[in-house]
Amino acid sequence: MAGEVARRTVTQLEDLVRDVPDFPTAGIVYKDITPLLADPVAMASAIDAMAAPWLGSAVDFVVGVEARGFILAAPVARALEAGFVPARKPGKLPSATFSESYGLEYGHDSLEIHTDSLPAGSRVVIIDDVLATGGTAAAAARLVSASGADLLGFGFLIELPLLGGRSQLAGLAAHAVMSLGTEQGGD
Amino acid sequence: MAGEVARRTVTQLEDLVRDVPDFPTAGIVYKDITPLLADPVAMASAIDAMAAPWLGSAVDFVVGVEARGFILAAPVARALEAGFVPARKPGKLPSATFSESYGLEYGHDSLEIHTDSLPAGSRVVIIDDVLATGGTAAAAARLVSASGADLLGFGFLIELPLLGGRSQLAGLAAHAVMSLGTEQGGD
């Protein structure tokens, strides 16, 4: 993970992530990033740290995963001068879509992307808030592959390494600003 | 609405909004902004046009409305050096919330905001993609009021003036980058 970001250190960013035990279901410790989002200096630092690994990579499109991923992916896209493409929950996109199902840390769901959103051969990065078990990111990756685009890798604000999600990412580059344990309480 | 934006004209932005008839239900013409989001110059122009009216207003927080509103509100928050606060669908926010119900153009729903997200007296702008009947924006405004914050006004990418949403906004400032008819087809 990154050492220091532009205007907040990673430790300061970590202090703005709130642990919420037993949300959305018993036994899950939810990582609430809303205190970080509400701090403009922290938010800018986080976005710049997420964009930094891709600045020299000629990224054409940033795919953001609904819904929290949108909050980070849209400013990352701007920082990279790339287009923004939403990967959405079922039934939300109005035109023809590719669809992929995935298992979540809690439950399961699917993701869709417009079939005409990523031209074949375009250079794509997937951005989401948290890398947990990796199921969502892997589904997003399959959507990019179905489009014929070139997936360069992934960026996350938070990685929860104890959940092993990195193993689902096909060995592609995956950057996270912070790496957090899953133990309850703490920060 | 604005005349010209930084690097794309309003007419060029309008050409990147795709009409999708009968989505999500029969009789609704859905305004699909994904072609605009995928064009980095158009996206940057739209964000700058949405931020411009508030640049001198010392905005503390930009409230983004789930889900498409997140895509615009997060970069607008950065452009204004303001914090980002999500107004979310029910059950998505992990901590204590205020909640407001509203009627939609099609169906009804409710929005929530963390009770500790907007300090009393803080200066707030609400950002969403489309001003249609105004129900969502009005609910978001009630959430800001419940927080004791000072709502300066609203910003939208698209206003559909034939649906009369502006009348729901309590006379507050409301800016839209483009104003579109609701007739089917066209662009």
Side-chain angles (χ1 to χ4, degrees):
Chain A
M1 325 301 125
E4 294 242 326
V5 293
R7 288 172 288 172
R8 291 271 195 265
T9 65
V10 170
T11 300
Q12 288 172 319
L13 296 180
E14 290 175 359
D15 288 345
L16 289 167
V17 176
R18 175 164 58 179
D19 276 354
V20 182
D22 297 321
F23 184 87
T25 58
I28 301 292
V29 180
Y30 183 89
K31 299 294 180 185
D32 179 15
I33 65 170
T34 60
L36 189 159
L37 302 176
D39 177 328
V41 179
M43 176 68 157
S45 300
I47 295 303
D48 290 345
M50 294 180 77
W54 309 105
L55 281 171
S57 300
V59 175
D60 295 309
F61 297 100
V62 171
V63 169
V65 179
E66 182 165 5
R68 296 191 308 272
F70 289 177
I71 301 166
L72 300 161
V76 167
R78 180 160 200 182
L80 294 175
E81 300 180 26
F84 172 88
V85 170
R88 299 209 63 181
K89 300 292 172 63
K92 296 289 186 180
L93 286 169
S95 193
T97 58
F98 298 118
S99 181
E100 288 286 342
S101 295
Y102 59 96
L104 265 177
E105 197 179 348
Y106 33 85
H108 75 327
D109 210 338
S110 60
L111 274 184
E112 299 182 346
I113 204 168
H114 274 151
T115 57
D116 61 358
S117 61
L118 297 172
S122 57
R123 296 167 63 81
V124 175
V125 170
I126 293 168
I127 295 287
D128 204 356
D129 62 335
V130 177
L131 174 60
T133 61
T136 314
R142 293 193 298 274
L143 292 172
V144 174
S145 295
S147 303
D150 180 14
L151 180 60
L152 306 182
F154 304 84
F156 305 96
L157 179 60
I158 298 172
E159 179 175 3
L160 305 176
L162 295 178
L163 296 176
R166 196 170 278 264
S167 67
Q168 304 301 308
L169 305 185
L172 289 168
H175 300 280
V177 177
M178 62 185 92
S179 177
L180 300 178
T182 56
E183 67 284 357
Q184 191 170 309
D187 64 348
Chain B
M1 323 304 125
E4 292 242 328
V5 293
R7 288 171 288 171
R8 291 271 193 265
T9 64
V10 169
T11 300
Q12 288 172 320
L13 296 180
E14 290 174 0
D15 287 345
L16 290 166
V17 177
R18 175 165 58 179
D19 276 354
V20 181
D22 298 321
F23 185 88
T25 57
I28 300 291
V29 180
Y30 182 89
K31 298 295 179 184
D32 179 16
I33 64 170
T34 60
L36 190 158
L37 302 175
D39 177 329
V41 179
M43 177 69 157
S45 300
I47 296 302
D48 290 345
M50 292 180 78
W54 310 105
L55 280 170
S57 300
V59 175
D60 295 309
F61 297 100
V62 171
V63 170
V65 179
E66 184 167 4
R68 295 191 309 272
F70 289 177
I71 301 166
L72 300 161
V76 167
R78 180 160 200 183
L80 295 174
E81 299 180 25
F84 172 87
V85 171
R88 300 209 62 179
K89 300 293 172 63
K92 297 288 188 180
L93 287 169
S95 193
T97 58
F98 298 119
S99 182
E100 288 286 342
S101 295
Y102 59 97
L104 266 177
E105 198 179 346
Y106 33 85
H108 75 323
D109 211 336
S110 60
L111 274 184
E112 299 183 345
I113 203 167
H114 274 151
T115 57
D116 61 358
S117 60
L118 297 172
S122 57
R123 297 166 63 82
V124 175
V125 170
I126 294 168
I127 295 286
D128 204 356
D129 61 335
V130 177
L131 174 60
T133 62
T136 314
R142 293 193 298 275
L143 293 171
V144 174
S145 296
S147 304
D150 180 12
L151 180 59
L152 305 182
F154 304 85
F156 306 96
L157 178 61
I158 298 171
E159 179 176 3
L160 304 176
L162 295 178
L163 296 176
R166 197 169 277 265
S167 68
Q168 304 300 309
L169 305 184
L172 289 168
H175 302 279
V177 177
M178 62 185 91
S179 178
L180 301 179
T182 57
E183 68 285 355
Q184 192 172 309
D187 68 346

